[in-house]
Amino acid sequence: MRAGRRRQGRWVVLIAGVLAVALGVAVLLAGCGGTETTTTTTPPATGSETTTTPTTSTEPTADAPTIKIGHLDSISGPGAAAASSIVDGLDLAVEKINAAGGINGSMLEIVTVDDGSDMGKAAAGATKLVEQDKVTAILGPFVPPFGMAVRQITEKAEVPNLMFISAMPDDLAQPGAWTFHTIQTFDANAAALLGIVRAHGFKKVAAVSDQVPVHVLSLQMLKEEAAKEGIEVTILPDTWEASDPNMNMGPISNKIAASTKSADPEALLLQATALQVGQVMKNLQTQGITVPIIGSPAAAHPVLFAMGPEQVEGLIVPGPGMLDAHALPDDYPGKDVLVDYFDSFTAKFGHPPDFMSGYGYDGLYLIAEGLKTSGDDRAKLRDAIEGIKGFNGVLGPFSFSATDHVGVHGGFVEWKVEGGRFVFVRTLD
């Protein structure tokens, strides 16, 4: 019982961190930070404003040339729970790359700076990585509001920056020359949802979401694209702030139930965080809502089961293949990469990977792919990353271009919750 409570507590803390950073709550929380820890052979200089941020350097053990890669993340503060998954994926990636001989004989050295879930520290940390640590590229940050501050620094300094942040419309229209993204955004979410609706033959669906921008934009795009295929999508007026992971979802569930009955759909698209999906589904069922419920990719996470798997039984979600790589069809593109990641991650950490761990893992492997031809030249690395085509990451296939710095626009499969686990249904894209 105690072990079960500890696991549940871990997931609750994790989703709380996800919600806080996703909505920018961490920006309002000043003074969050940890104790400075440095394992570099040469300690960083003191007395500079940009060195007040905690720094950790993961140096390779081999006596070989090194290439420094910066990692800017919320290791402490409200965002720490979410960042821990990214750190796990990144740790596994650098371990595997260096064990395989590194990049053209050079080992990768990860210099991690903790932004303390604070925007000022994020900007200072990015400046430190660029000016003091002289890193070849930077991975992070994860907190969306920090992205613009860091982008201004890395663009001016001309340092490749792969962010763990979903791109917004402005990012798609005018990608930064040196800024890339390692995760899918609203266009991929919308395409995955439409794929599920189409596969089930639904012609009339209702949709509701929290106020997370990716969810809102996904439903808007879904409605537009579905109409082209004669599928009616009714976006319900009910919405809510997702800043409180312990929010009582009863009142909003009542509104969703009433709106759903009025819309009379064949299915309901419920775009919310993993913990809140369970609460809403339970309440809807008690009010006689029996249509299939389709969640967002954010619900494709083990925390979904934290409050009891019976609450989310039957939920359909689009999610990455890493949730159960062995269940994928043998002809699934990049299945060997996903199986290797699933197995090696599980062996190293004692539990299967979640999608956030893929942010750091894919990010470093994309940099490594570019380094094969660029060496540690920043400009050449930027060009090499932009030229990557058909790279099978654990979150999906990446192909960048001069006008597309997101790179991954697919990689989702349909999963159905059965007996407390995700069961493979079909590939989506």
Side-chain angles (χ1 to χ4, degrees):
M1 177 63 72
R2 290 180 180 176
R5 287 176 178 170
R6 285 196 297 271
R7 285 194 296 270
Q8 178 171 317
R10 175 179 180 272
W11 291 125
V12 171
V13 171
L14 174 60
I15 199 64
V18 174
L19 289 168
V21 295
L23 297 168
V25 174
V27 179
L28 305 177
L29 304 177
C32 296
T35 302
E36 180 168 348
T37 57
T38 304
T39 57
T40 52
T41 52
T42 304
T46 59
S48 169
E49 183 180 4
T50 62
T51 62
T52 59
T53 308
T55 304
T56 302
S57 177
T58 304
E59 294 186 278
T61 57
D63 184 15
T66 61
I67 299 175
K68 288 185 178 181
I69 306 299
H71 172 217
L72 179 65
D73 223 329
S74 300
I75 308 303
S76 64
S84 65
S85 288
I86 298 174
V87 171
D88 286 348
L90 181 57
D91 284 350
L92 178 60
V94 70
E95 177 183 290
K96 293 177 68 173
I97 291 170
N98 285 342
I103 306 298
N104 300 327
S106 294
M107 300 291 104
L108 297 186
E109 177 184 348
I110 307 300
V111 181
T112 295
V113 171
D114 177 15
D115 61 38
S117 302
D118 177 87
M119 183 176 289
K121 291 184 179 180
T127 300
K128 176 188 179 300
L129 289 170
V130 169
E131 297 180 356
Q132 180 177 321
D133 296 306
K134 308 293 185 183
V135 298
T136 302
I138 294 176
L139 287 165
F142 171 68
V143 183
F146 299 177
M148 183 56 69
V150 172
R151 173 172 165 166
Q152 291 175 349
I153 294 168
T154 55
E155 288 285 332
K156 182 178 180 179
E158 299 185 341
V159 177
N161 180 199
L162 280 70
M163 295 186 174
F164 311 135
I165 297 172
S166 181
M168 292 289 100
D170 288 347
D171 300 315
L172 299 180
Q174 295 182 318
W178 298 82
T179 306
F180 300 84
H181 300 265
T182 68
I183 63 176
Q184 297 95 336
T185 189
F186 64 92
D187 61 344
N189 293 2
L193 292 172
L194 180 56
I196 292 175
V197 171
R198 184 190 301 121
H200 286 265
F202 299 136
K203 293 298 182 181
K204 183 181 180 182
V205 300
V208 66
S209 79
D210 54 28
Q211 295 178 19
V212 173
V214 171
H215 287 158
V216 175
L217 291 169
S218 296
L219 292 187
Q220 291 174 352
M221 178 171 281
L222 170 66
K223 182 179 177 71
E224 295 172 3
E225 295 302 314
K228 299 175 183 178
E229 301 182 22
I231 301 172
E232 178 185 347
V233 177
T234 300
I235 299 179
L236 305 180
D238 317 297
T239 187
W240 63 98
E241 295 265 0
S243 57
D244 181 6
N246 298 312
M247 173 182 175
N248 177 7
M249 297 299 293
I252 190 66
S253 298
N254 294 337
K255 294 180 179 179
I256 294 173
S259 297
T260 301
K261 291 177 180 178
S262 178
D264 191 27
E266 298 172 275
L268 173 65
L269 279 64
L270 175 59
Q271 307 299 285
T273 58
L275 272 182
Q276 293 179 341
V277 166
Q279 297 181 57
V280 175
M281 284 187 65
K282 180 178 180 180
N283 290 338
L284 293 182
Q285 290 166 4
T286 61
Q287 298 186 57
I289 304 298
T290 59
V291 297
I293 295 180
I294 303 169
S296 80
H301 192 287
V303 74
L304 183 72
F305 309 116
M307 300 303 176
E310 66 282 351
Q311 293 189 21
V312 291
E313 183 73 13
L315 177 69
I316 300 169
V317 292
M322 72 168 69
L323 293 181
D324 187 357
H326 290 278
L328 299 173
D330 290 339
D331 60 353
Y332 185 83
K335 179 178 178 178
D336 57 334
V337 174
L338 287 163
V339 169
D340 176 71
Y341 179 63
F342 183 92
D343 290 347
S344 58
F345 189 99
T346 303
K348 181 176 177 64
F349 298 106
H351 58 83
D354 60 62
F355 65 85
M356 286 181 294
S357 68
Y359 299 176
Y361 189 87
D362 278 349
L364 188 61
Y365 264 98
L366 287 166
I367 289 176
E369 184 71 10
L371 288 171
K372 291 177 182 178
T373 57
S374 74
D376 60 0
D377 184 285
R378 291 171 173 174
K380 291 181 179 179
L381 176 58
R382 191 217 77 88
D383 292 344
I385 294 173
E386 192 173 85
I388 290 175
K389 308 292 182 188
F391 177 86
N392 287 319
V394 299
L395 290 177
F398 286 82
S399 291
F400 294 102
S401 72
T403 58
D404 181 5
H405 280 198
V406 175
V408 58
H409 298 280
F412 287 125
V413 300
E414 180 181 339
W415 302 93
K416 186 175 183 180
V417 174
E418 294 181 356
R421 68 187 191 87
F422 295 104
V423 176
F424 174 80
V425 178
R426 61 173 61 84
T427 58
L428 293 173
D429 46 37

